[in-house]
Amino acid sequence: MAMQYDVSSASNTVSATFVGGPARLKAVYFTGGANAGSITFRDGGASGTIRLTLPSIANATAPTYMLIPGEGIRFSTTLYANLVNVSALTVIYG
């Protein structure tokens, strides 16, 4: 299997569909809020299948970066992220 080199990014400050079609989540960059929270990534919209849940710390000034190993996490329909006490999220996808 060849490596995928064509990647894009999408950012938002609210829960939303970040990619409106099939995609592989490659990395995330986010900033927490005043309280601890979480990001739940779903395949297929707000009530879709949960693919990944990440906790966030209570710190609005310390961004977190996480690289997803291998070819990333596959989202078959859409890449939706539910943000709880997270002030901003950027996803890197291919």
Side-chain angles (χ1 to χ4, degrees), residues 2-87:
M3 290 287 282
Q4 180 182 9
Y5 292 102
D6 55 333
V7 295
S8 298
S9 67
S11 299
N12 214 324
T13 58
V14 296
S15 299
T17 297
F18 281 71
V19 183
R24 287 190 176 273
L25 180 63
K26 305 278 192 171
V28 297
Y29 180 87
F30 62 92
T31 303
N35 298 308
S38 65
I39 304 168
T40 302
F41 293 94
R42 293 179 175 268
D43 187 354
S47 60
T49 303
I50 295 172
R51 295 284 186 224
L52 175 67
T53 300
L54 298 173
S56 70
I57 61 171
N59 189 335
T61 61
T64 300
Y65 174 76
M66 181 179 156
L67 181 64
I68 308 295
E71 289 296 309
I73 299 172
R74 173 93 170 121
F75 290 76
S76 300
T77 56
T78 62
L79 193 162
Y80 179 90
N82 182 53
L83 311 181
V84 176
N85 292 327
V86 170
S87 61

